[in-house]
């Protein structure tokens, strides 16, 4: 099975371990990731803050490349996913989509081929034929590892863009975590914001929001946070020491990408190289559970 | 500012925001779901429901100079929950754009500089070059030594690339930015001046008769 792949800027830099672990999982599942040829940045929040047409143009170029490739598209970064979904809806307005400019008509790819579905990570792995295979490949279930699923904002909201089936209480990642043997703790902060792009300009706000997430995860009995968003992972992982100092408490809570844990549960030996990229060292926790 | 000052309602700003955003701000009836769900309301000078009200009342100066429009992280919670289908995060985008186009002094200059540095990186390479982007942001804000420990820790972990990655078709990306700059320039000429003379007689608070849907 082949799928087009849009890594986005983060997975080529800050979130390399997300890219590598996703590739490792896909390889084991027999999914060939075909990186979009000459993709460009989706524009992230910055473009739509300043100019909506620029934001749509930047994202739409990638959807056009995916259309030409004629395969479904996997977008693991939540922000990129939301921007590319928004652009594809703008290019192909459905009848019920009244909020977009009426002048914006779909430009079809020359060959008539097109990318039918844009997937974020969890929904991609939840496709029945892949989920069955994934279950079969779990040779080292992560028993005893207690975590919360943290989805953040943009893979879910707004649902008329993302098509999220339950934007206020998503469950796809929770199910994947159960599939790989984890103890999934329930909490009500699944889709609360980490502070996102305020990280450099107003870091104290990110420390407040991310700190509230750690406190809630700890209260829920989690030993780690599992996410599918590079922005969330970076904010939570890299700011944790500062947050602990500010709150005079200790969280010591590794923040994993869901794909890192799936690969670990599949017995992937590359996993060791990803832990070195983390700010909060996950090795002691994984060792204490007999998982390394 | 938020005390008991008298407000002269002015519907032209409401019309401008509704027309530019396509969002039916007039519909807001102050249920405050947006503000109750907003993770950053505590740090805002005007909460999201107050922003809707100030748009209805035509308080352009208060809004365009506010901190709120730059503190909003665009998490889309308000948009998702609004019972009147107002895409509030989209209205925030429109207010940010009006702030920049009408050259109002932004309430959070560092946030604006961050996004400018980010966009400048995209314009140059087609992708974000984090090291260059952060450098540019630091130079433009003078916050040279903030987060140095963090930057070093990222670098050590191989999370910041030394060299930029660039798309081959850079001209395509630059054309998009050029169209954006042209549009901004023509809008600046076309926009009415921001400070309108007060309406001749006070209207019922927050309503103009037309509902632009």
């Amino acid at each position: 099975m082949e799928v087009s792949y849009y890594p986005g800027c983060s997975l080529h830099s800050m979130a390399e371990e997300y890219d590598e672990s996703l590739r490792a999982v896909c390889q084991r599942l027999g999914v060939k990731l075909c990186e979009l040829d000459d993709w460009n940045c989706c524009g992230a929040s910055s473009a739509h803050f300043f100019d909506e047409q620029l934001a749509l143009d930047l994202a739409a170029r990638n959807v056009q490349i995916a259309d030409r490739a004629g395969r479904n598209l996997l977008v693991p970064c939540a922000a990129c996913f939301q921007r590319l979904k928004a652009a594809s809806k703008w290019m192909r307005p459905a009848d019920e989509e009244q909020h977009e400019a009426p002048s914006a008509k779909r430009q079809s790819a020359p060959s008539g081929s097109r990318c039918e579905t844009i997937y974020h990570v969890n929904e991609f792995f939840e496709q029945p034929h892949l989920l069955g295979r994934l279950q079969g490949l779990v040779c080292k279930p992560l028993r005893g590892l207690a975590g919360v699923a943290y989805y953040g904002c943009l893979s879910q909201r707004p649902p008329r863009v993302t098509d999220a089936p339950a934007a206020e209480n998503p469950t796809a990642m929770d199910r994947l975590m159960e599939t790989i043997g984890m103890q999934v703790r329930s909490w009500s902060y699944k889709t609360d914001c980490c502070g996102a792009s305020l990280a450099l300009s107003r870091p104290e706000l990110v420390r407040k929001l991310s700190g509230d997430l750690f406190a809630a995860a700890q209260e829920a009995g989690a030993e780690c946070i599992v996410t599918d968003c590079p922005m969330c992972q970076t904010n939570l992982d890299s700011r944790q020491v500062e947050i602990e100092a500010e709150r005079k408490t200790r969280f010591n809570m590794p923040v994993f990408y869901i794909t890192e844990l799936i690969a670990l549960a599949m017995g992937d030996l590359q996993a060791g190289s990803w832990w070195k990229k983390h700010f909060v060292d996950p090795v002691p926790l994984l060792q204490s559970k007999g998982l390394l | 500012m938020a005390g008991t000052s008298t407000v002269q309602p002015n519907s032209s700003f409401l019309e401008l925001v509704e027309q530019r955003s396509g969002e039916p701000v007039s519909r807001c009836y102050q249920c405050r779901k947006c503000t109750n769900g907003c993770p950053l309301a505590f740090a805002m000078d005007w909460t999201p429901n107050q922003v809707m009200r100030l748009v209805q009342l035509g308080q352009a100066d208060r809004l365009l100079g506010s901190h709120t429009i730059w503190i909003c992280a665009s998490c889309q919670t308000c948009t998702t929950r609004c019972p009147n289908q107002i895409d509030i995060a989209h209205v925030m985008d429109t207010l940010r754009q009006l702030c920049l186009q009408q050259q109002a002094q932004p309430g959070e200059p560092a946030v604006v500089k961050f996004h400018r540095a980010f966009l400048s990186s995209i314009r140059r390479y087609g992708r974000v070059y984090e090291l260059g982007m952060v450098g540019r942001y630091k130079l433009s804000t003078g916050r040279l030594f903030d987060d140095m420990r963090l930057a070093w820790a990222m670098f050590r972990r191989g999370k910041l690339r030394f060299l930029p990655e660039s798309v081959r078709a850079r001209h395509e990306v630059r054309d998009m930015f050029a169209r954006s700059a042209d549009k901004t320039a023509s809008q600046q000429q076309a926009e009415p001046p921001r400070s309108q003379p007060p309406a001749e007689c006070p209207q019922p608070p927050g309503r103009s008769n037309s509902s632009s849907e």
Side-chain angles (χ1 to χ4, degrees):
Chain A
M1 178 195 170
E2 291 188 345
V3 66
S4 288
Y5 175 45
Y6 177 87
C9 306
S10 296
L11 276 81
H12 271 210
S13 56
M14 314 256 269
E16 253 176 359
E17 64 271 39
Y18 195 11
D19 175 75
E20 288 172 16
S21 57
L22 176 67
R23 287 177 187 277
V25 171
C26 283
Q27 195 186 10
R28 280 165 187 263
L29 287 171
V31 173
K32 187 175 172 209
L33 293 178
C34 309
E35 188 163 326
L36 287 186
D37 179 46
D38 207 33
W39 57 267
N40 60 272
C41 172
C42 72
S45 330
S46 303
H48 72 76
F49 273 26
F50 281 30
D51 182 343
E52 283 148 49
Q53 190 57 51
L54 175 65
L56 288 169
D57 286 346
L58 283 167
R61 180 174 174 273
N62 298 304
V63 179
Q64 281 164 352
I65 298 172
D67 270 346
R68 284 198 292 274
R71 287 179 286 255
N72 289 335
L73 178 63
L74 174 59
V75 187
C77 167
C80 301
F81 168 76
Q82 197 242 31
R83 296 319 306 157
L84 266 57
K85 286 283 283 189
S88 91
K89 295 207 165 186
W90 168 69
M91 291 158 74
R92 309 154 185 168
D95 293 342
E96 68 275 15
E97 296 288 328
Q98 299 151 348
H99 62 292
E100 299 292 5
S103 61
K105 283 287 165 229
R106 151 171 189 88
Q107 303 157 283
S108 155
S111 62
S113 65
R114 78 191 237 185
C115 156
E116 292 294 340
T117 311
I118 299 177
Y119 287 105
H120 188 55
V121 160
N122 300 312
E123 290 68 26
F124 182 73
F125 289 130
E126 271 228 316
Q127 297 175 90
H129 63 287
L130 287 183
L131 190 61
R133 229 180 288 171
L134 195 152
Q135 279 162 340
L137 286 165
V138 173
C139 59
K140 211 171 80 177
L142 311 183
R143 297 222 190 288
L145 185 61
V148 284
Y150 176 53
Y151 299 80
C153 306
L154 298 179
S155 65
Q156 305 299 318
R157 288 192 296 267
R160 69 182 169 201
V161 171
T162 63
D163 296 317
E168 297 283 5
N169 184 19
T171 50
M173 189 158 50
D174 296 66
R175 284 194 297 277
L176 279 176
M177 287 160 64
E178 279 163 14
T179 305
I180 58 174
M182 288 181 70
Q183 289 175 20
V184 183
R185 302 290 191 218
S186 87
W187 68 329
S188 54
Y189 288 74
K190 282 180 176 182
T191 60
D192 279 27
C193 181
C194 70
S197 65
L198 294 168
L200 291 180
S201 47
R202 292 293 303 269
E204 76 284 9
L205 296 179
V206 171
R207 287 197 293 269
K208 160 83 171 82
L209 299 196
S210 296
D212 290 350
L213 293 170
F214 288 126
Q218 197 172 51
E219 195 187 334
E223 298 157 311
C224 62
I225 294 181
V226 185
T227 186
D228 55 9
C229 169
M231 183 94 238
C232 299
Q233 200 278 345
T234 303
N235 278 343
L236 290 173
D237 191 28
S238 70
R239 301 269 173 193
Q240 194 169 143
V241 175
E242 296 169 17
I243 294 166
E244 288 176 332
E246 208 168 79
R247 298 197 175 204
K248 299 187 177 59
T249 183
R250 195 100 166 90
F251 294 117
N252 193 23
M253 199 172 284
V255 186
F256 292 104
Y257 290 108
I258 178 69
T259 45
E260 292 179 304
L261 293 179
I262 298 174
L264 179 67
M266 289 175 168
D268 198 298
L269 295 176
Q270 270 189 71
S273 67
W274 306 325
W275 314 141
K276 297 192 188 94
K277 301 218 168 229
H278 285 239
F279 286 77
V280 180
D281 184 5
V283 171
L285 173 65
L286 296 174
Q287 271 174 346
S288 75
K289 304 288 172 185
L291 299 172
L292 287 183
Chain B
M1 195 152 90
T4 53
S5 59
T6 315
V7 161
Q8 288 287 349
N10 166 7
S11 64
S12 69
F13 186 69
L14 170 65
E15 282 159 23
L16 174 68
V17 171
E18 289 198 329
Q19 181 246 320
R20 283 285 293 273
S21 65
E23 300 301 333
V25 180
S26 314
R27 282 189 198 162
C28 172
Y29 50 47
Q30 296 293 309
C31 73
R32 303 193 191 192
K33 264 186 136 173
C34 50
T35 297
N36 283 328
C38 176
L40 285 157
F42 73 92
M44 290 174 168
D45 46 355
W46 303 102
T47 58
N49 70 294
Q50 288 173 333
V51 168
M52 295 300 105
R53 194 78 179 114
L54 288 171
V55 172
Q56 290 172 342
L57 291 170
Q59 300 300 297
D61 291 335
R62 286 186 161 124
L63 286 168
L64 302 188
S66 70
H67 295 267
T68 294
I69 57 176
W70 301 106
I71 294 290
C72 162
S74 210
C75 79
Q76 312 280 330
T77 306
C78 51
T79 294
T80 300
R81 294 182 183 170
C82 176
N84 291 310
Q85 282 85 48
I86 306 169
D87 185 342
I88 299 166
H90 187 196
V91 176
M92 295 287 187
D93 280 344
T94 303
L95 293 172
R96 288 187 267 259
Q97 289 151 21
L98 287 170
C99 165
L100 296 173
Q101 278 161 18
Q102 304 193 0
Q103 283 151 8
Q105 180 62 41
E108 295 282 331
V111 177
V112 178
K113 285 171 179 162
F114 170 80
H115 290 291
R116 278 202 203 288
F118 195 94
L119 286 174
S120 142
S121 193
I122 305 174
R123 181 170 50 213
R124 190 151 183 194
Y125 303 109
R127 294 183 188 169
V128 172
Y129 170 44
E130 271 128 353
L131 209 56
M133 185 265 287
V134 170
R136 190 187 173 98
Y137 165 77
K138 283 180 170 297
L139 286 174
S140 69
T141 52
R143 295 185 181 182
L144 294 179
F145 302 106
D146 284 13
D147 289 324
M148 283 310 272
R149 188 199 58 78
L150 189 61
W152 172 240
M154 291 223 169
F155 200 73
R156 233 178 38 221
R157 286 171 175 76
K159 284 180 167 266
L160 290 174
R161 285 187 175 230
F162 238 132
L163 295 172
E165 258 187 15
S166 180
V167 299
R168 294 193 306 278
R170 282 196 297 275
H171 61 280
E172 290 183 25
V173 174
R174 287 194 187 155
D175 287 349
M176 294 175 198
F177 277 91
R179 285 201 295 278
S180 165
D182 289 348
K183 194 185 69 189
T184 308
S186 63
Q187 268 167 359
Q188 262 171 15
Q189 286 164 1
E191 296 294 351
R194 191 151 44 87
S195 293
Q196 297 282 323
E200 278 140 24
C201 55
Q203 297 167 2
R207 283 302 300 180
S208 64
N209 290 331
S210 64
S211 164
S212 65
E213 276 163 52

